[in-house]
């Protein structure tokens, strides 16, 4: 099977887009939702486009950190960040928020939340970042898309549960 460079998963949540955007843009909460992320440090809050944060991650016995930079912060529409390690690009992660037909005009009702991932390990330095990915996470580059899809399903379910409480 050919390597997949992008993955996305969606879930329907009974909450307005603005509420979901605020939950996801509070990246410190990701440590409670993601199966890999354990904590996030934001050196210069609030986060907006161009600002960065550090993600502390763990998968089984593997522990690593990444530098992340917000690349899209469109309130109630999309929040995305790019991940790098040792100055080399690794991935883009993001969330899109769409009101489902039938929701009220004030932004209430159901929202489709889509989490997406794009592998940025291409070009110069790609082999090195793929090796780092294997060493830090225990997952070879060719299997990263499957691992991320499984993680997205868990993350989205946890976000839904937290917001719908």
């Amino acid at each position: 099977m050919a390597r997949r460079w992008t993955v996305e998963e969606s879930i329907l949540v009974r909450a307005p887009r603005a509420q979901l955007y605020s939950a996801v843009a509070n990246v410190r909460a990701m440590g409670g939702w993601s199966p890999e992320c354990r904590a996030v440090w934001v050196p210069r809050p609030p986060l907006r486009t161009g600002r960065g944060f550090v993600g502390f991650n763990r998968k089984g016995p593997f522990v690593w950190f990444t530098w992340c930079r917000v690349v899209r912060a469109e309130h109630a529409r999309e929040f995305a960040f790019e991940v790098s390690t040792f100055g080399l690009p690794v991935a883009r992660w993001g969330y899109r928020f769409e009101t489902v037909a039938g929701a009220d005009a004030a932004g209430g009702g159901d929202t489709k939340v889509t989490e997406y991932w794009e592998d940025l390990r291409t070009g110069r330095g790609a082999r090195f970042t793929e090796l780092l990915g294997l060493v830090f996470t225990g997952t070879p580059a060719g299997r990263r898309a499957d691992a991320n899809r499984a993680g997205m399903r868990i993350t989205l379910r946890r976000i839904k549960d937290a917001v719908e409480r």
Side-chain angles (χ1 to χ4, degrees):
M1 184 191 296
R3 180 171 169 184
R4 285 189 310 247
W5 295 88
T6 61
V7 174
E8 67 178 49
E9 284 288 321
S10 299
I11 196 167
L12 192 62
V13 181
R14 286 186 316 260
R17 289 185 335 219
Q19 181 183 359
L20 284 155
Y21 176 90
S22 294
V24 168
N26 174 18
V27 293
R28 289 183 187 126
M30 195 56 66
W33 298 332
S34 168
E36 285 188 358
C37 179
R38 292 298 178 249
V40 171
W41 175 58
V42 180
R44 290 182 45 212
L47 279 179
R48 55 180 171 255
T49 302
R51 292 265 174 99
F53 60 95
V54 178
F56 299 92
N57 308 290
R58 181 177 185 152
K59 180 180 172 194
F62 302 97
V63 178
W64 71 100
F65 70 92
T66 55
W67 175 253
C68 306
R69 185 177 56 85
V70 177
V71 295
R72 181 159 278 156
E74 296 177 26
H75 184 72
R77 294 192 186 280
E78 186 172 4
F79 182 81
F81 55 92
E82 291 186 352
V83 178
S84 63
T85 188
F86 299 106
L88 297 169
V90 174
R92 177 178 299 118
W93 286 90
Y95 297 84
R96 291 187 304 268
F97 310 95
E98 302 170 57
T99 301
V100 176
D104 66 49
D110 292 343
T111 300
K112 179 182 173 185
V113 180
T114 301
E115 182 176 9
Y116 62 90
W117 166 83
E118 178 183 354
D119 193 335
L120 299 180
R121 295 174 295 180
T122 62
R124 202 183 89 224
R127 295 245 188 255
F128 180 63
T129 54
E130 288 173 353
L131 176 62
L132 289 174
L134 177 60
V135 169
F136 291 150
T137 72
T139 303
R143 285 198 237 142
R144 194 63 182 148
D146 291 333
N148 287 347
R149 181 179 302 282
M152 287 174 175
R153 290 176 179 154
I154 293 167
T155 300
L156 289 170
R157 170 53 66 186
R158 289 175 178 172
I159 290 170
K160 175 183 175 77
D161 290 347
V163 172
E164 287 185 350
R165 273 191 219 147

